[in-house]
Amino acid sequence: MNTFASIIHILTLLSTALMAGLFFSYSFSVNSGLGQLNDSAYLLAMQSINRAILNPVFFMCFFGTVILLPLNAYLQYDGRLTINFSLYGLSAAFYVIGLFGITILGNVPLNDTLEAFDLGNASQETISGMRETFEGPWNKWHNIRTTAVVISFLLLSIASVLPKK
């Protein structure tokens, strides 16, 4: 493997690990804590989190991994359809479809709906309705994308340690 391919491989491992860790941690800590809040506090916290995550470091990892995983698979290709190359390709597919695609098509529209919700002028009944409309679907999509990114990292890791044949 040449130096450029090695650097891309290391950056791909790092960015995929960071994204898997972020989504896994959110699933098993943040969501549990948020779930215990009353409706108004839950919605306010989610609005705040959804704004805070839109930052350059997150964007660099989130979008960068969309580029790095397929690039890494391409750079690992030696003209043969090997197990390693297949695992690299599957890793990219799980991330691009399972994390990125689900986020864009599932979670972001829910986040946009929540962002437009005027919590300060809503009745308790409307607030409860918004939480019911938002929380279940958002958590479902989040669990799917978390599973996908963990699988992506696992496949990438396995391909990284398998002997190249």
Side-chain angles (χ1 to χ4, degrees):
M1 185 180 333
N2 66 41
T3 304
F4 178 72
S6 295
I7 291 168
I8 293 300
H9 188 74
I10 291 166
L11 290 174
T12 303
L13 279 164
L14 176 61
S15 66
T16 308
L18 289 170
M19 295 309 296
L22 171 72
F23 284 86
F24 181 86
S25 296
Y26 199 96
S27 288
F28 293 100
S29 62
V30 176
N31 275 345
S32 298
L34 290 173
Q36 296 176 27
L37 298 174
N38 67 48
D39 295 341
S40 295
Y42 172 84
L43 295 176
L44 184 63
M46 283 300 294
Q47 285 176 333
S48 181
I49 290 167
N50 289 337
R51 289 180 201 124
I53 200 161
L54 301 178
N55 66 71
V57 174
F58 173 77
F59 286 143
M60 187 172 60
C61 290
F62 183 71
F63 292 109
T65 307
V66 170
I67 296 164
L68 286 169
L69 278 162
L71 176 60
N72 181 67
Y74 172 78
L75 293 172
Q76 303 301 322
Y77 184 64
D78 66 0
R80 300 173 300 134
L81 186 58
T82 63
I83 291 173
N84 297 70
F85 175 72
S86 298
L87 292 173
Y88 289 130
L90 283 170
S91 175
F94 268 95
Y95 187 93
V96 171
I97 296 166
L99 175 69
F100 186 78
I102 293 292
T103 299
I104 299 303
L105 298 174
N107 294 92
V108 168
L110 290 165
N111 292 346
D112 291 345
T113 299
L114 181 60
E115 180 61 28
F117 183 70
D118 184 3
L119 191 58
N121 292 316
S123 68
Q124 187 55 48
E125 182 179 331
T126 307
I127 290 169
S128 294
M130 174 53 84
R131 180 175 184 168
E132 186 175 317
T133 299
F134 178 85
E135 185 177 21
W138 195 94
N139 285 338
K140 175 188 78 171
W141 292 123
H142 181 74
N143 289 336
I144 292 169
R145 66 188 182 165
T146 298
T147 302
V149 71
V150 169
I151 291 170
S152 175
F153 179 67
L154 180 62
L155 294 170
L156 179 64
S157 299
I158 292 168
S160 299
V161 299
L162 281 180
K164 295 186 192 253
K165 295 181 180 183

